[in-house]
Amino acid sequence: MNDSGPGGGGYFWCLRHDRVESGDGVCPAQHRLGPYASADDATRALETVEKRNAAWDAEDARWTGEVS
């Protein structure tokens, strides 16, 4: 991937439009997740976020001694 253009290369999930975006037509950074290596990976961005958040919540609970 390169850093040329507004998107910086790669594929993004746009939170505003609920779609994959790439190239020069991507929405501003505050409205997108990524970059991802493929459009398919970008399509699963929200699923990836959910999995990571669950893992981090479990780690926080383990760290503080809470049972989850």
Side-chain angles (χ1 to χ4, degrees):
M1 284 189 270
N2 62 37
D3 288 329
S4 63
Y11 297 88
F12 300 87
W13 181 254
C14 177
L15 297 166
R16 179 187 281 170
H17 298 109
D18 291 325
R19 68 179 183 209
V20 174
E21 296 181 341
S22 65
D24 292 337
V26 298
C27 283
Q30 69 265 29
H31 299 294
R32 64 182 194 227
L33 300 173
Y36 294 93
S38 70
D40 194 45
D41 289 343
T43 299
R44 292 190 305 272
L46 295 177
E47 179 183 326
T48 301
V49 167
E50 281 185 30
K51 288 179 181 178
R52 288 178 182 167
N53 285 346
W56 291 335
D57 288 345
E59 179 62 17
D60 286 348
R62 188 193 65 77
W63 180 258
T64 60
E66 298 172 22
V67 177
S68 58

Coordinates of all heavy atoms in Angstrom, one line a residue:
M1 N 0.8 -1.2 0.0 CA 0.0 0.0 0.0 C 0.9 1.2 0.0 O 2.0 1.2 0.5 CB -0.9 0.0 1.2 CG -2.1 -1.0 1.1 SD -3.2 -0.8 2.4 CE -2.6 -1.9 3.6
N2 N 0.3 2.3 -0.6 CA 1.1 3.6 -0.5 C 0.3 4.6 0.2 O -0.9 4.4 0.5 CB 1.4 4.0 -2.0 CG 0.2 4.2 -2.8 OD1 -0.8 4.7 -2.3 ND2 0.3 3.9 -4.1
D3 N 0.8 5.8 0.4 CA 0.2 6.9 1.0 C -0.3 8.0 0.1 O -0.5 9.1 0.5 CB 1.1 7.4 2.1 CG 1.2 6.5 3.3 OD1 0.3 5.7 3.6 OD2 2.3 6.5 3.9
S4 N -0.4 7.6 -1.2 CA -0.8 8.7 -2.1 C -2.3 8.9 -2.1 O -3.1 7.9 -1.9 CB -0.4 8.3 -3.5 OG -1.0 7.1 -3.9
G5 N -2.8 10.1 -2.3 CA -4.2 10.4 -2.3 C -4.8 10.4 -1.0 O -4.2 10.0 0.0
P6 N -6.1 10.8 -0.9 CA -6.8 11.0 0.4 C -7.0 9.7 1.1 O -6.9 9.7 2.3 CB -8.2 11.5 -0.1 CG -8.0 12.0 -1.4 CD -6.9 11.3 -2.0
G7 N -7.2 8.6 0.4 CA -7.4 7.3 1.1 C -6.1 6.6 1.6 O -6.1 5.8 2.4
G8 N -4.9 7.0 1.0 CA -3.7 6.4 1.3 C -3.5 5.0 0.8 O -2.6 4.3 1.3
G9 N -4.3 4.5 -0.1 CA -4.2 3.2 -0.6 C -5.0 2.2 0.3 O -5.5 2.5 1.4
G10 N -5.3 1.1 -0.3 CA -6.1 0.1 0.4 C -7.6 0.3 0.3 O -8.1 1.1 -0.5
Y11 N -8.3 -0.5 1.1 CA -9.8 -0.4 1.1 C -10.3 0.0 2.5 O -9.7 -0.4 3.5 CB -10.4 -1.8 0.7 CG -10.0 -2.2 -0.7 CD1 -8.8 -2.9 -0.9 CD2 -10.8 -2.0 -1.7 CE1 -8.5 -3.3 -2.1 CE2 -10.5 -2.4 -3.0 CZ -9.3 -3.0 -3.2 OH -9.0 -3.4 -4.5
F12 N -11.4 0.7 2.5 CA -11.9 1.3 3.8 C -13.4 0.9 3.9 O -14.1 0.8 2.9 CB -11.7 2.8 3.8 CG -10.3 3.2 3.8 CD1 -9.7 3.4 2.5 CD2 -9.6 3.4 4.9 CE1 -8.4 3.8 2.4 CE2 -8.3 3.8 4.8 CZ -7.7 4.0 3.6
W13 N -13.9 0.8 5.1 CA -15.3 0.7 5.4 C -15.8 2.0 5.8 O -15.3 2.6 6.8 CB -15.6 -0.4 6.4 CG -17.1 -0.5 6.6 CD1 -17.8 0.0 7.7 CD2 -18.0 -1.1 5.8 NE1 -19.2 -0.3 7.5 CE2 -19.3 -0.9 6.3 CE3 -17.9 -1.7 4.5 CZ2 -20.5 -1.4 5.7 CZ3 -19.1 -2.2 3.9 CH2 -20.3 -2.0 4.5
C14 N -16.7 2.6 5.0 CA -17.3 3.9 5.3 C -18.4 3.8 6.3 O -19.4 3.1 6.0 CB -17.7 4.6 4.1 SG -18.5 6.2 4.4
L15 N -18.3 4.4 7.5 CA -19.3 4.3 8.5 C -20.5 5.2 8.1 O -21.6 4.9 8.6 CB -18.8 4.7 9.9 CG -17.7 3.8 10.4 CD1 -16.9 4.5 11.5 CD2 -18.2 2.5 10.8
R16 N -20.3 6.2 7.4 CA -21.4 7.1 6.9 C -22.3 6.5 5.9 O -23.5 6.6 5.9 CB -20.8 8.4 6.4 CG -21.8 9.4 6.0 CD -21.2 10.6 5.3 NE -20.7 11.5 6.3 CZ -19.9 12.5 6.0 NH1 -19.6 12.8 4.8 NH2 -19.5 13.3 6.9
H17 N -21.7 5.8 4.9 CA -22.4 5.2 3.8 C -22.6 3.7 3.8 O -23.2 3.1 2.9 CB -21.7 5.6 2.5 CG -21.6 7.1 2.3 ND1 -20.4 7.8 2.4 CD2 -22.6 8.0 2.0 CE1 -20.7 9.1 2.1 NE2 -22.0 9.2 1.9
D18 N -22.0 3.0 4.8 CA -22.1 1.6 5.0 C -21.7 0.9 3.7 O -22.4 0.1 3.1 CB -23.5 1.1 5.4 CG -23.8 1.5 6.8 OD1 -23.0 1.5 7.6 OD2 -25.0 1.8 7.0
R19 N -20.5 1.2 3.2 CA -20.0 0.6 2.0 C -18.4 0.6 2.0 O -17.8 1.4 2.7 CB -20.5 1.3 0.8 CG -19.9 2.7 0.6 CD -20.5 3.4 -0.6 NE -19.8 4.7 -0.7 CZ -20.4 5.8 -1.3 NH1 -21.6 5.7 -1.8 NH2 -19.8 6.9 -1.3
V20 N -17.9 -0.2 1.1 CA -16.4 -0.2 0.9 C -16.1 0.9 0.0 O -16.8 1.2 -1.0 CB -16.0 -1.6 0.2 CG1 -14.5 -1.5 -0.1 CG2 -16.3 -2.7 1.2
E21 N -15.0 1.6 0.3 CA -14.5 2.7 -0.5 C -13.0 2.5 -0.7 O -12.3 2.0 0.1 CB -14.7 4.1 0.2 CG -16.2 4.4 0.3 CD -16.5 5.7 1.0 OE1 -15.6 6.3 1.6 OE2 -17.6 6.2 0.8
S22 N -12.5 3.0 -1.8 CA -11.1 3.0 -2.1 C -10.7 4.1 -3.1 O -11.6 4.7 -3.7 CB -10.6 1.7 -2.7 OG -11.2 1.4 -3.9
G23 N -9.5 4.4 -3.3 CA -9.0 5.4 -4.2 C -9.2 6.8 -3.7 O -9.3 7.1 -2.6
D24 N -9.4 7.7 -4.7 CA -9.5 9.1 -4.3 C -10.9 9.5 -3.8 O -11.1 10.6 -3.3 CB -9.2 10.0 -5.6 CG -7.8 9.9 -6.0 OD1 -6.9 9.5 -5.1 OD2 -7.5 10.1 -7.2
G25 N -11.9 8.6 -3.9 CA -13.3 9.0 -3.5 C -13.7 8.6 -2.1 O -14.8 8.5 -1.8
V26 N -12.7 8.3 -1.2 CA -13.0 7.9 0.1 C -13.5 9.1 1.0 O -13.1 10.2 0.8 CB -11.9 7.2 0.8 CG1 -11.5 5.9 0.0 CG2 -10.7 8.1 1.0
C27 N -14.3 8.8 1.9 CA -14.8 9.8 2.9 C -13.6 10.2 3.8 O -12.6 9.4 3.9 CB -16.0 9.2 3.7 SG -17.5 9.2 2.7
P28 N -13.8 11.3 4.6 CA -12.7 11.7 5.5 C -12.5 10.6 6.6 O -13.3 9.7 6.9 CB -13.3 12.9 6.2 CG -14.4 13.4 5.2 CD -14.9 12.2 4.5
A29 N -11.3 10.6 7.1 CA -10.8 9.6 8.1 C -11.8 9.3 9.2 O -11.9 8.2 9.7 CB -9.4 9.9 8.6
Q30 N -12.4 10.4 9.7 CA -13.3 10.2 10.9 C -14.5 9.3 10.6 O -15.2 8.9 11.5 CB -13.7 11.5 11.5 CG -14.6 12.4 10.7 CD -13.9 13.4 9.9 OE1 -12.8 13.2 9.5 NE2 -14.6 14.5 9.6
H31 N -14.8 9.1 9.3 CA -15.9 8.3 8.9 C -15.6 6.9 8.4 O -16.5 6.3 7.8 CB -16.7 9.1 7.8 CG -17.3 10.4 8.3 ND1 -18.2 10.5 9.3 CD2 -16.9 11.6 7.9 CE1 -18.4 11.8 9.5 NE2 -17.7 12.5 8.7
R32 N -14.4 6.5 8.5 CA -14.0 5.2 7.9 C -13.1 4.3 8.8 O -12.4 4.9 9.7 CB -13.3 5.4 6.6 CG -12.0 6.1 6.7 CD -11.4 6.4 5.3 NE -10.0 6.8 5.5 CZ -9.4 7.8 4.9 NH1 -10.1 8.6 4.1 NH2 -8.2 8.1 5.1
L33 N -13.1 3.0 8.5 CA -12.3 2.1 9.2 C -11.3 1.5 8.2 O -11.7 1.3 7.0 CB -13.1 0.9 9.8 CG -14.1 1.3 10.9 CD1 -15.0 0.1 11.2 CD2 -13.5 1.9 12.1
G34 N -10.1 1.3 8.6 CA -9.1 0.7 7.6 C -7.8 1.5 7.7 O -7.6 2.3 8.5
P35 N -6.9 1.2 6.8 CA -7.1 0.5 5.5 C -7.1 -1.1 5.7 O -6.5 -1.6 6.6 CB -6.0 0.9 4.6 CG -4.9 1.2 5.6 CD -5.6 1.7 6.9
Y36 N -7.7 -1.8 4.8 CA -7.7 -3.2 4.7 C -7.1 -3.6 3.4 O -7.1 -2.9 2.4 CB -9.2 -3.7 4.8 CG -9.8 -3.5 6.2 CD1 -10.5 -2.3 6.4 CD2 -9.5 -4.3 7.2 CE1 -11.1 -2.1 7.7 CE2 -10.1 -4.1 8.5 CZ -10.8 -3.0 8.7 OH -11.3 -2.7 10.0
A37 N -6.6 -4.8 3.4 CA -5.9 -5.3 2.2 C -6.8 -5.6 1.0 O -6.4 -5.6 -0.1 CB -5.0 -6.6 2.5
S38 N -8.0 -6.0 1.3 CA -9.0 -6.3 0.3 C -10.4 -5.7 0.6 O -10.7 -5.4 1.7 CB -9.1 -7.8 0.1 OG -9.8 -8.4 1.3
A39 N -11.2 -5.6 -0.5 CA -12.5 -5.2 -0.3 C -13.3 -6.1 0.6 O -14.1 -5.7 1.4 CB -13.2 -5.0 -1.7
D40 N -13.0 -7.4 0.5 CA -13.7 -8.4 1.4 C -13.4 -8.2 2.8 O -14.3 -8.2 3.7 CB -13.3 -9.8 0.9 CG -14.2 -10.9 1.5 OD1 -15.5 -10.7 1.5 OD2 -13.7 -11.9 2.0
D41 N -12.1 -7.9 3.1 CA -11.7 -7.6 4.5 C -12.4 -6.3 5.0 O -12.9 -6.2 6.2 CB -10.2 -7.4 4.6 CG -9.5 -8.7 4.5 OD1 -10.1 -9.8 4.6 OD2 -8.2 -8.6 4.2
A42 N -12.5 -5.3 4.2 CA -13.2 -4.1 4.5 C -14.7 -4.3 4.8 O -15.3 -3.7 5.7 CB -13.0 -3.0 3.5
T43 N -15.3 -5.2 4.0 CA -16.7 -5.5 4.2 C -16.9 -6.1 5.6 O -18.0 -5.9 6.2 CB -17.2 -6.5 3.2 OG1 -17.0 -5.9 1.9 CG2 -18.6 -6.9 3.3
R44 N -16.0 -6.8 6.2 CA -16.1 -7.4 7.5 C -15.5 -6.5 8.6 O -15.3 -7.0 9.7 CB -15.4 -8.8 7.5 CG -16.0 -9.8 6.6 CD -15.4 -11.2 6.8 NE -14.0 -11.3 6.6 CZ -13.4 -11.5 5.5 NH1 -14.1 -11.7 4.4 NH2 -12.1 -11.5 5.4
A45 N -15.3 -5.3 8.3 CA -14.7 -4.4 9.3 C -15.4 -4.3 10.6 O -14.8 -4.4 11.7 CB -14.6 -3.0 8.7
L46 N -16.8 -4.2 10.6 CA -17.5 -4.1 11.9 C -17.5 -5.4 12.6 O -17.4 -5.4 13.9 CB -19.0 -3.7 11.6 CG -19.1 -2.3 11.0 CD1 -20.6 -2.0 10.7 CD2 -18.5 -1.2 11.9
E47 N -17.4 -6.5 12.0 CA -17.3 -7.8 12.6 C -15.9 -7.9 13.3 O -15.8 -8.4 14.4 CB -17.4 -8.9 11.6 CG -17.3 -10.3 12.1 CD -17.4 -11.4 11.0 OE1 -18.1 -11.2 10.1 OE2 -16.7 -12.4 11.2
T48 N -14.9 -7.4 12.6 CA -13.5 -7.4 13.2 C -13.5 -6.5 14.4 O -12.9 -6.9 15.4 CB -12.5 -6.9 12.1 OG1 -12.6 -7.7 11.0 CG2 -11.1 -6.8 12.7
V49 N -14.1 -5.4 14.4 CA -14.2 -4.5 15.5 C -14.9 -5.2 16.7 O -14.4 -5.1 17.8 CB -14.9 -3.1 15.2 CG1 -15.2 -2.3 16.4 CG2 -14.1 -2.3 14.2
E50 N -16.0 -5.8 16.5 CA -16.7 -6.5 17.5 C -15.9 -7.6 18.2 O -15.8 -7.7 19.4 CB -18.0 -7.2 17.0 CG -19.1 -6.2 16.8 CD -20.4 -6.9 16.4 OE1 -20.6 -8.1 16.8 OE2 -21.2 -6.3 15.7
K51 N -15.2 -8.4 17.4 CA -14.3 -9.4 17.9 C -13.2 -8.8 18.7 O -12.8 -9.4 19.8 CB -13.7 -10.3 16.8 CG -14.8 -11.2 16.2 CD -14.2 -12.0 15.0 CE -15.2 -12.9 14.4 NZ -14.6 -13.6 13.2
R52 N -12.5 -7.8 18.2 CA -11.4 -7.2 19.0 C -11.9 -6.6 20.3 O -11.3 -6.7 21.3 CB -10.7 -6.1 18.1 CG -9.9 -6.7 17.0 CD -9.3 -5.6 16.1 NE -8.6 -6.2 15.0 CZ -8.1 -5.6 14.0 NH1 -8.4 -4.2 13.9 NH2 -7.5 -6.2 13.0
N53 N -13.1 -5.9 20.2 CA -13.6 -5.3 21.5 C -13.9 -6.4 22.5 O -13.7 -6.2 23.7 CB -14.9 -4.5 21.2 CG -14.5 -3.1 20.5 OD1 -13.4 -2.7 20.5 ND2 -15.5 -2.5 20.0
A54 N -14.5 -7.5 22.1 CA -14.8 -8.6 23.0 C -13.5 -9.1 23.6 O -13.5 -9.4 24.8 CB -15.6 -9.7 22.3
A55 N -12.5 -9.3 22.8 CA -11.2 -9.8 23.3 C -10.6 -8.8 24.3 O -10.1 -9.2 25.4 CB -10.3 -10.1 22.2
W56 N -10.7 -7.5 24.0 CA -10.1 -6.5 24.9 C -10.9 -6.4 26.2 O -10.4 -6.3 27.3 CB -10.1 -5.2 24.2 CG -9.1 -5.1 23.1 CD1 -7.9 -5.8 23.0 CD2 -9.1 -4.2 22.0 NE1 -7.3 -5.5 21.8 CE2 -7.9 -4.5 21.2 CE3 -10.0 -3.2 21.6 CZ2 -7.7 -3.8 20.0 CZ3 -9.7 -2.5 20.4 CH2 -8.5 -2.8 19.7
D57 N -12.3 -6.6 26.1 CA -13.1 -6.6 27.3 C -12.7 -7.8 28.2 O -12.7 -7.6 29.4 CB -14.6 -6.6 27.0 CG -15.1 -5.3 26.4 OD1 -14.4 -4.2 26.5 OD2 -16.2 -5.3 25.8
A58 N -12.5 -8.9 27.6 CA -12.2 -10.1 28.4 C -10.8 -9.9 29.0 O -10.6 -10.3 30.2 CB -12.2 -11.3 27.5
E59 N -9.9 -9.3 28.3 CA -8.6 -9.1 28.9 C -8.6 -8.1 30.0 O -8.0 -8.2 31.0 CB -7.6 -8.6 27.8 CG -6.2 -8.3 28.3 CD -5.4 -9.4 28.9 OE1 -5.8 -10.6 28.6 OE2 -4.5 -9.2 29.6
D60 N -9.4 -7.0 29.9 CA -9.6 -6.1 31.0 C -10.2 -6.7 32.2 O -9.7 -6.5 33.3 CB -10.6 -4.9 30.5 CG -9.9 -3.9 29.6 OD1 -8.7 -4.0 29.4 OD2 -10.7 -3.2 29.0
A61 N -11.2 -7.6 32.0 CA -11.8 -8.3 33.1 C -10.8 -9.2 33.8 O -10.7 -9.3 35.0 CB -13.0 -9.1 32.6
R62 N -10.0 -9.9 33.0 CA -8.9 -10.8 33.5 C -7.9 -9.9 34.3 O -7.5 -10.3 35.4 CB -8.2 -11.5 32.4 CG -7.2 -12.6 33.0 CD -6.3 -13.1 31.9 NE -5.4 -12.1 31.4 CZ -4.3 -11.7 32.0 NH1 -4.0 -12.1 33.2 NH2 -3.5 -10.7 31.4
W63 N -7.5 -8.8 33.8 CA -6.5 -7.9 34.4 C -7.0 -7.4 35.8 O -6.3 -7.3 36.7 CB -6.2 -6.8 33.5 CG -5.2 -5.8 34.0 CD1 -5.4 -4.6 34.6 CD2 -3.8 -6.0 34.0 NE1 -4.3 -4.0 34.9 CE2 -3.2 -4.9 34.6 CE3 -2.9 -7.0 33.6 CZ2 -1.9 -4.7 34.8 CZ3 -1.6 -6.9 33.8 CH2 -1.0 -5.7 34.4
T64 N -8.3 -7.1 35.8 CA -8.9 -6.5 37.1 C -9.4 -7.6 38.0 O -9.8 -7.2 39.1 CB -10.0 -5.5 36.8 OG1 -11.0 -6.2 36.1 CG2 -9.5 -4.3 36.0
G65 N -9.4 -8.8 37.6 CA -9.8 -9.9 38.5 C -11.3 -10.2 38.4 O -11.8 -10.9 39.2
E66 N -12.0 -9.5 37.5 CA -13.4 -9.7 37.3 C -13.7 -11.0 36.6 O -12.9 -11.4 35.7 CB -14.1 -8.6 36.6 CG -13.9 -7.2 37.2 CD -14.4 -6.1 36.3 OE1 -15.2 -6.4 35.4 OE2 -14.0 -5.0 36.6
V67 N -14.7 -11.7 36.9 CA -15.1 -12.9 36.2 C -16.1 -12.5 35.0 O -17.0 -11.8 35.3 CB -15.8 -13.9 37.1 CG1 -16.2 -15.1 36.3 CG2 -14.9 -14.3 38.2
S68 N -15.7 -12.9 33.8 CA -16.6 -12.6 32.7 C -17.4 -13.8 32.2 O -17.2 -14.9 32.5 CB -15.8 -12.0 31.5 OG -14.8 -12.9 31.1

